[in-house]
Amino acid sequence: QVQLVESGGGLVQAGGSLRLSCAASGLTFSRYAMGWFRQAPGKEREFVAAISWRGGTTYYADSVKGRFTISRDNAKNTVYLQMNSLKPTDTAVYYCALDYRTIDTVVVGDYEYDYWGQGTQVTVSS
């Protein structure tokens, strides 16, 4: 079965950086887009960033644009989220998601994604 495993979360101070990783396994398809979402306590899950299969298309939420960078290494079936200049408002559980129906573009709606990881906690202190 398809499995997505996030790692790299932790506790950092405001202004610090973290790099999240998401490794996919058990894939029965060859191409897919990937995205990152987050959910803070008491709030709904929100889109963070997404990347197309070849990496040519990326898209970011306005709240993270200029601070976060999404990338991928298809040889490793892994997607990354480099988070710089972290703010307390970035505190959330971060989830990676896979969309096998989208290849050359990206989707921001969480309902369009097919598989999800269990999440990794990111806490930014002030």
Side-chain angles (χ1 to χ4, degrees):
Q1 67 275 21
V2 175
Q3 185 176 22
L4 306 179
V5 180
E6 301 98 334
S7 62
L11 173 64
V12 298
Q13 296 202 49
S17 298
L18 284 173
R19 189 177 79 154
L20 306 183
S21 299
C22 174
S25 62
L27 304 179
T28 58
F29 37 82
S30 59
R31 298 175 295 172
Y32 51 91
M34 293 288 293
W36 286 96
F37 294 78
R38 66 187 183 187
Q39 187 167 24
K43 295 187 176 182
E44 295 187 359
R45 184 168 54 200
E46 66 175 348
F47 171 81
V48 176
I51 186 168
S52 62
W53 164 248
R54 298 179 67 89
T57 300
T58 58
Y59 195 77
Y60 300 90
D62 288 341
S63 59
V64 307
K65 191 174 298 182
R67 300 187 297 118
F68 291 10
T69 302
I70 188 171
S71 62
R72 66 192 300 165
D73 184 345
N74 288 344
K76 298 180 179 179
N77 290 328
T78 300
V79 64
Y80 306 94
L81 185 68
Q82 178 66 46
M83 305 185 295
N84 298 326
S85 301
L86 283 162
K87 305 174 181 179
T89 50
D90 295 319
T91 295
V93 176
Y94 283 71
Y95 301 90
C96 67
L98 183 155
D99 177 6
Y100 70 81
R101 295 167 292 179
T102 304
I103 299 171
D104 294 324
T105 185
V106 297
V107 172
V108 300
D110 57 355
Y111 55 88
E112 293 289 346
Y113 285 80
D114 303 289
Y115 301 100
W116 294 81
Q118 294 298 310
T120 185
Q121 176 70 48
V122 172
T123 302
V124 184
S125 64
S126 60

